[in-house]
Amino acid sequence: MPSPDPNPSTASAREDEQEPLLSRTPPPELDDHTQPTAVAWVRHKARQAARPATTLLGVCLATACLAIGFYILYILYHLPAMLGALRGSEPRVEAVSLIDMTDDAVLFAADVEFPDWGHRAAQIPHLNSTIHHRGRMVGWLYASNLEITPQQKRLSLCEIFHIVDPEAMARLLSEAASSRRVTVDARARVSLSGFGKYLPTTSVHRELDIVLPPLPAINATIRDFVGPIADTLRGGVTAQATVKLELPALVSANVSPVLIDISYRSIVIAVAEVGPVAVYSSGVGDVPLKVNLKQIADSVHEAALADIIAKASTGEVFELVASGAGPQSYSTAPRWLRWALYNSEFAVRSDLLKLTHDFALPVQDMVKDLVVDKLYAYWSAEDSYKPWAGISARATIDIPNYSAANATFEIESLVPNLRLMDDEDQLPFAIVDTPSIPVELKQMAPLQFVVSCDYDRLGLRVVPGRELQFTRAMRRALADRHVALGVNGSLDIAMATSIGKIHIGALPVGAYIDWKFDASPAVETAANPSAEISVSRIHVADTTRDLISLEIGVNVNNPFTYGAFISDLALMVKYSGLHIATIGVKELSLSQGANDVTLYVDFHNYPNDPRQRMLFLEASSGKNVTVEIAGFPNCTSIQPLETSLREFVHRTTINTDSSSGPRMVTGSLPQVLREVVFRIFAMSAEATIVNPVSGAEVWLQVIEAIGYYKHDIPLGMLEYDFTSDGPKGLQLPFDRAVSTPRMPIVANETSIGWDVLRRAIGGTLDVDVFTNIQMQVGNAPLNFTVMGRNAPVKVRL
């Protein structure tokens, strides 16, 4: 038996430890005198009872901490996968498809690529997202079973965005469209169990400030164009077409038709019906488009249209404003979309759309029935720097009407105000006079017009101090046959159209002309009628051995509607490098009808140069004669023209064959050889000659001739020296018929036969005569060779 503990407190503690938790017998009743002792007893019993409860609580807390620790370790274990998902979550939208829209939902699809996704898979079983804007809930989206793996990095979505508040949706879209920036409150509950079975569902709340990128350029091709057509229902004109869109991204969409008001300077000028839009997954789609250009309402409306036309014609960029028409005016689109468009404004720059067309109008043959009633030019020494022209003309412009257009378009008045610009310093050097009578364009039928002008005196005035540039431009045009200059100024246009009258006070005009004239072909044409030129008189003013100065009167019957007036002009004529003549006029006035012109000709005589003989031979035998027409110093007193013609050289070929068909110019010379008589028995010939040249004595000295039958059969040869009858030969007085002596003929071995001559007795025989002639004209000995074609020779016994 253990010995009692000497320490009373220890013994008392042991007794307490051995005491049961609950007494088997009830405690004794306590009176008021024993109350303090009872409270102490209860406290003592409570402390004894709390000791095992504290131990249990500690165990529970330890277990909970251990569980939390393990859960934290569980989260930490999956944290790399979630961080990896975040690092690789920079998405790239590959394609977007807007499938359908209603008043309360938008069905869309999208392919989102995560190119930098790591080696772990990620799953989001549930995603519930809501969008709020300006404190109002716009709508919500629910998605499930989203999964990305290293093998499948593309997420294909096909979801429905449920619209809760259409007004909030309309406000959100209009703010985004107008300012290209929008702030939304995005809230989402995301289940993370895809990363771990026991991960929780978390809430995400974030305010997003979204800046929309600028609108990309859109390639558009217009096809199936119809119009413009006068719209009897809505007024104005309407045109419709199908626009093929090529978007710069893989975007597809199906959008119901919408109405868009198109404004300029706050004036609604047109209403466009767009859609239904059908853009396929490749970003290419067709959009039906119908545009109604509204009737002009007032002067402000007219001024807006005039400004658009002026800027468009010069390529200047301008902006139109597009916004939705009134939501109550149509019902084809969802209500929130109609309100969003109505509250939005889209600035449309004229260079935003790159429009092309898949049809081309044949420009050739569009101008028909060109009639020039009058075309005259005037240039004199008194107005050296003020040439002018008068023109009256009209033409029909017939544009193929592929689009069934019937709108009215006429130009009631077009008055140019133009300046010519030097191509080197780009400063004006001349001003075109403003015509008193404007150009008009009348519409005869849809896309068929008659344009006419009647300029009585349209002048060109040099800018003071710019005479050098004026002269340089003229020299380049005349001497180099090269026009290089700028044209700018303005046009005053008054138009009458189906939408009303439009007046454009100063339509800017600017162009650069760089045009080189081709080498002129032979002067040979089938034009009809032709100008008739006849020599009425030839007067010799002076002669030396090497020069014959002539005054030649020419009658010109000009059937054409153009002419010219020019004073004091002379040009050189060269043949094979030989200066043949200098031809000039003191005053050339050529109008329609009969004209008398006096030419002053210095004929340079080369009696012993075979080229002079060859010139006369080619001209008389109907061959092409190539000559050079050239200017020289002081060839005119018109100063800029004189500078231009100093270096002017023009090579041209003249067809002298009168049997080659109609020509622009036909001419005739005075008849010199009146008659040739061939006497068979005497084998001689005699000729009757009339001299048309006055002012100098003319002597026929030597003649050598060979006759041909049918162009190539020689008949015989004639040689006669008239100086044997007199010291100077046979004199040919002015305008008197002179008969030559009988000149003997030496028959050729290849005679044509007596039967041919016998049949021709009493009649004529057409003979080609090749003739060398020596003459004396005043002091000038003149030698030349001619070929008389089909000369009528009388045959006598």
Side-chain angles (χ1 to χ4, degrees), residues 570-572 574 629-633 635 644-650:
L571 294 172
M572 291 191 302
K574 295 182 180 181
I629 302 174
F632 55 91
C635 63
S644 305
L645 293 178
R646 286 181 184 179
E647 303 175 18
F648 173 76
V649 177
H650 183 66

Side-chain angles (χ1 to χ4, degrees), residues 632-654:
F632 55 91
N634 299 318
C635 63
T636 179
S637 56
I638 302 174
Q639 185 175 348
L641 184 59
E642 188 273 341
T643 304
S644 305
L645 293 178
R646 286 181 184 179
E647 303 175 18
F648 173 76
V649 177
H650 183 66
R651 186 181 181 91
T652 185
T653 300
I654 304 173

Side-chain angles (χ1 to χ4, degrees), residues 575-597:
Y575 172 79
S576 296
L578 194 66
H579 182 188
I580 295 297
T582 299
I583 303 176
V585 293
K586 291 182 179 179
E587 186 176 284
L588 174 63
S589 179
L590 193 63
S591 60
Q592 187 176 17
N595 300 269
D596 293 328
V597 178

